[in-house]
């Protein structure tokens, strides 16, 4: 039987190879997985032209996935350092990589990225449009925006962020409700600017059906961008954000009618006590579609440490419904992240995702922790290293400060609680001051 997308296949009762892989990795019954792909609560972003992809599922009952942002810009146009980041991100088990390139050899970078990456690839076509056409934003036509989307689809991109929710109606709500930080989404600000400069409707909203046809042809998952996401905790949960979310829910149903898979993008900056309610509201308004969050960053005053502020919010968000975390690095709000920034951002996001998976009782999540606890009780250093989320750092820290006794560390020495209990419970003598 023929099918256009993973959703179309699921609705026809066809088990694709991508579904088989996801079901096996996630310890989920294939029939449950297929039912959730069919109803849109799980998406499997898998462009037909992405041949190196190791498919992953995003959504209800699956482990929380993380995304890494990369790409070249006018100030940092060199492709090779970004490709080194790609290799490291894949090695560190990031499930998705978003190419946010906005200047220079964007097509070359995107094609090389898709060719080498086993992780799913996302893009934001509006970033690429200005450089692709070598035109000012105002002069790009609606058709040209759609042509860039098609180009990215042909190149093998698995999911695309499209800011279709900021239409004329949503823009009026924004104008009436003053914000501290206005529009902080790069793509959202560009689209809003285009609409104002041309006194025209958002082309991705006006020609949404044509956009869906492109996505269906290549099985591109549409990641509906939150142009009005809060960029400060002051602006969270306001009328602008909620109005756009309602629109995204309506666009979700229209996409599903054409068998196009959907992911909804969310906040943003948000105080801790608002996160749970926002996750529940998104799931309700967007019909349980997978939810993808940037953070949320829970305080605005920690530049240089936003990987931490983001991980705090991400863990809470994923516990209460978010399915996909976009990493944030220490360089957020300051500069393009370097390789070390990226590594710190990945680990912070993976910690948040795993902590939430334990809370969500994702199969095998707690088992990893139990194995680590057993290795610590046994003072089995090699097993501890092998189980570490960042094995290299764990080994380095141990090596940098070696203890006198192998069965201790330099924190406690022979007063190590694990060592003490192991000896006493085994009926052995305890030597803390003596050498023997």
């Amino acid at each position: 039987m023929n099918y256009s997308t993973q959703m179309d296949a699921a609705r026809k009762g066809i088990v694709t190879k991508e579904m088989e892989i996801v079901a096996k990795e996630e310890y989920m019954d294939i029939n449950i997985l297929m039912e959730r792909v069919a109803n849109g609560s799980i998406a499997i972003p898998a462009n037909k032209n992405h041949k190196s992809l190791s498919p992953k599922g995003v959504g209800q009952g699956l482990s929380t996935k993380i995304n890494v942002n990369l790409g070249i810009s006018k100030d940092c146009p060199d492709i090779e350092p970004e490709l080194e980041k790609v290799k490291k991100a894949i090695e560190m088990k990031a499930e998705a990589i978003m190419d946010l390139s906005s200047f220079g050899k964007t097509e070359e970078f995107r094609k090389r990225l898709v060719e080498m990456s086993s992780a799913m690839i996302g893009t934001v076509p509006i970033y690429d449009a200005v450089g692709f056409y070598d035109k000012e934003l105002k002069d790009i036509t609606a058709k040209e925006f759609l042509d860039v989307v098609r180009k990215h689809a042909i190149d093998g991109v698995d999911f695309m962020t499209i800011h279709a929710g900021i239409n004329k109606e949503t823009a009026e709500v924004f104008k009436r409700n003053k914000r501290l930080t206005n529009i902080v989404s790069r793509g959202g600000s560009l689209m809003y600017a285009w609409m104002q400069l041309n006194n025209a409707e958002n082309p991705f909203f006006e020609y949404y059906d044509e956009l869906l046809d492109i996505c269906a042809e290549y099985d591109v998952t549409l990641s509906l961008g939150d142009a009005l996401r809060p960029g400060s905790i002051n602006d969270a949960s306001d009328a602008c954000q909620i109005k756009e979310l309602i629109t995204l829910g309506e666009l979700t149903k229209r996409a599903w009618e054409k068998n196009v898979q959907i992911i909804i993008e969310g906040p943003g900056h948000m105080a801790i006590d608002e996160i749970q309610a926002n996750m529940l509201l998104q799931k309700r308004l967007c019909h349980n579609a997978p939810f993808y969050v940037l953070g949320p960053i829970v305080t605005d005053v920690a530049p240089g440490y936003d990987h931490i502020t983001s991980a705090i919010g991400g863990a809470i968000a994923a516990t209460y419904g978010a399915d996909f975390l976009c990493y944030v690095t220490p360089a957020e709000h300051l500069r393009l992240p370097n390789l070390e920034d990226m590594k710190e951002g990945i680990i912070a996001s993976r910690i948040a995702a795993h902590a939430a998976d334990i809370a969500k009782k994702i199969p095998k999540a707690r088992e990893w922790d139990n194995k680590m606890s057993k290795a610590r009780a046994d003072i089995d250093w090699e097993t501890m290293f092998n189980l570490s989320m960042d094995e290299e750092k764990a080994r380095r820290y141990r090596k940098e400060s070696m203890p006198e006794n192998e069965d201790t560390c330099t924190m406690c020495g022979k007063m190590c609680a694990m060592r003490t209990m192991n000896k006493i419970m085994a009926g052995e003598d305890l030597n803390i001051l003596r050498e023997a």
Side-chain angles (χ1 to χ4, degrees):
M1 294 176 67
N2 293 325
Y3 60 89
S4 58
T5 67
Q6 295 292 320
M7 175 175 273
D8 184 35
R11 289 173 170 177
K12 290 175 177 175
I14 301 171
V15 176
T16 66
K17 67 179 186 299
E18 290 83 6
M19 292 179 202
E20 289 178 341
I21 292 169
V22 171
K24 183 177 181 181
E25 284 188 354
E26 299 279 356
Y27 306 98
M28 179 175 282
D29 181 274
I30 189 69
N31 294 308
I32 294 174
L33 177 69
M34 190 158 56
E35 178 185 345
R36 292 177 182 176
V37 173
N39 67 28
S41 59
I42 287 177
I44 303 177
N47 187 311
K48 296 170 183 176
N49 291 340
H50 188 179
K51 305 303 183 185
S52 60
L53 176 68
S54 176
K56 304 291 182 185
V58 180
Q60 184 182 359
L62 304 182
S63 58
T64 307
K65 306 304 186 296
I66 72 161
N67 171 72
V68 171
N69 291 335
L70 298 166
I72 53 175
S73 65
K74 189 168 185 177
D75 291 307
C76 302
D78 191 351
I79 288 176
E80 298 308 321
E82 293 305 293
L83 292 176
E84 285 303 310
K85 291 183 191 176
V86 172
K87 293 173 186 175
K88 191 64 179 179
I90 293 170
E91 178 188 319
M92 295 181 71
K93 301 180 181 178
E95 289 92 2
I97 295 172
M98 285 204 79
D99 172 14
L100 305 188
S101 295
S102 58
F103 181 83
K105 298 179 180 179
T106 58
E107 182 176 1
E108 178 186 346
F109 179 73
R110 182 171 60 252
K111 287 183 173 180
R112 289 177 66 180
L113 173 62
V114 171
E115 183 180 358
M116 70 187 288
S117 177
S118 57
M120 51 186 164
I121 301 301
T123 58
V124 189
I126 194 172
Y127 293 178
D128 193 29
V130 174
F132 184 77
Y133 292 112
D134 194 23
K135 285 184 177 182
E136 285 298 334
L137 178 68
K138 178 180 183 294
D139 300 324
I140 300 173
T141 67
K143 181 180 182 301
E144 286 172 334
F145 278 124
L146 290 172
D147 286 345
V148 172
V149 171
R150 180 174 290 279
K151 174 61 178 162
H152 285 214
I154 291 170
D155 289 346
V157 171
D158 302 296
F159 65 102
M160 296 185 204
T161 294
I162 302 290
H163 299 88
I166 184 162
N167 56 12
K168 282 187 172 182
E169 184 180 352
T170 311
E172 288 304 313
V173 174
F174 165 70
K175 291 175 185 177
R176 293 197 302 268
N177 293 270
K178 185 172 176 58
R179 283 181 146 190
L180 191 61
T181 48
N182 294 315
I183 298 175
V184 300
S185 160
R186 191 196 325 180
S189 66
L190 291 172
M191 184 48 63
Y192 179 80
W194 185 93
M195 292 166 63
Q196 298 304 302
L197 291 168
N198 289 285
N199 190 27
E201 180 58 279
N202 178 344
F204 291 130
F205 180 82
E206 185 173 3
Y207 301 103
Y208 190 62
D209 285 331
E210 288 86 338
L211 173 67
L212 294 176
D213 290 340
I214 296 170
C215 292
E217 183 177 351
Y218 297 93
D219 198 1
V220 172
T221 297
L222 200 53
S223 189
L224 290 173
D226 51 336
L228 295 175
R229 70 170 181 262
S232 61
I233 61 172
N234 180 79
D235 296 341
S237 309
D238 69 353
C240 308
Q241 179 195 337
I242 304 306
K243 172 59 180 175
E244 184 179 32
L245 191 60
I246 293 169
T247 304
L248 297 185
E250 294 169 348
L251 294 175
T252 295
K253 293 178 77 173
R254 286 176 59 186
W256 287 346
E257 288 171 3
K258 290 200 171 190
N259 293 314
V260 173
Q261 300 184 102
I262 289 290
I263 293 172
I264 303 294
E265 297 187 12
H269 295 231
M270 183 167 288
I272 283 177
D273 60 336
E274 296 181 40
I275 295 174
Q276 181 179 0
N278 269 266
M279 300 306 107
L280 298 174
L281 190 61
Q282 183 280 330
K283 288 289 183 176
R284 182 70 180 89
L285 291 176
C286 295
H287 321 293
N288 207 35
F291 198 22
Y292 174 30
V293 295
L294 179 64
I297 290 173
V298 295
T299 177
D300 300 328
V301 296
Y305 298 91
D306 277 326
H307 59 310
I308 297 173
T309 64
S310 171
I312 292 168
I316 298 168
T319 295
Y320 292 108
D323 308 287
F324 195 10
L325 304 181
C326 186
Y327 92 149
V328 173
T329 77
E332 184 80 7
H333 303 110
L334 300 171
R335 60 167 169 79
L336 187 76
N338 61 26
L339 184 62
E340 288 304 310
D341 296 327
M342 185 196 76
K343 288 167 63 177
E344 288 193 52
I346 290 173
I347 292 298
S349 290
R350 286 193 63 201
I351 291 169
H354 180 63
D357 285 350
I358 294 169
K360 290 191 286 191
K361 297 180 172 51
I362 297 298
K364 306 291 184 178
R366 186 180 285 268
E367 185 178 303
W368 184 8
D369 293 72
N370 290 343
K371 287 178 179 177
M372 176 64 86
S373 297
K374 178 67 165 58
R376 284 175 173 157
D378 294 341
I379 317 180
D380 181 350
W381 292 103
E382 194 60 30
T383 300
M384 282 187 259
F385 296 144
N386 291 336
L387 289 168
S388 296
M389 195 173 284
D390 185 350
E391 181 178 346
E392 182 277 329
K393 188 172 186 178
R395 289 184 182 276
R396 175 164 54 85
Y397 271 37
R398 171 75 174 170
K399 187 176 181 180
E400 286 174 352
S401 185
M402 290 297 292
E404 183 180 356
N405 297 86
E406 176 63 23
D407 60 350
T408 67
C409 78
T410 53
M411 172 70 79
C412 300
K414 285 187 174 182
M415 290 187 184
C416 170
M418 298 298 191
R419 178 180 184 272
T420 296
M421 293 307 298
N422 287 346
K423 286 184 174 295
I424 294 299
M425 294 181 75
E428 298 176 10
D429 185 27
L430 182 64
N431 60 319
I432 295 176
L433 300 179
R434 302 191 311 272
E435 287 297 321

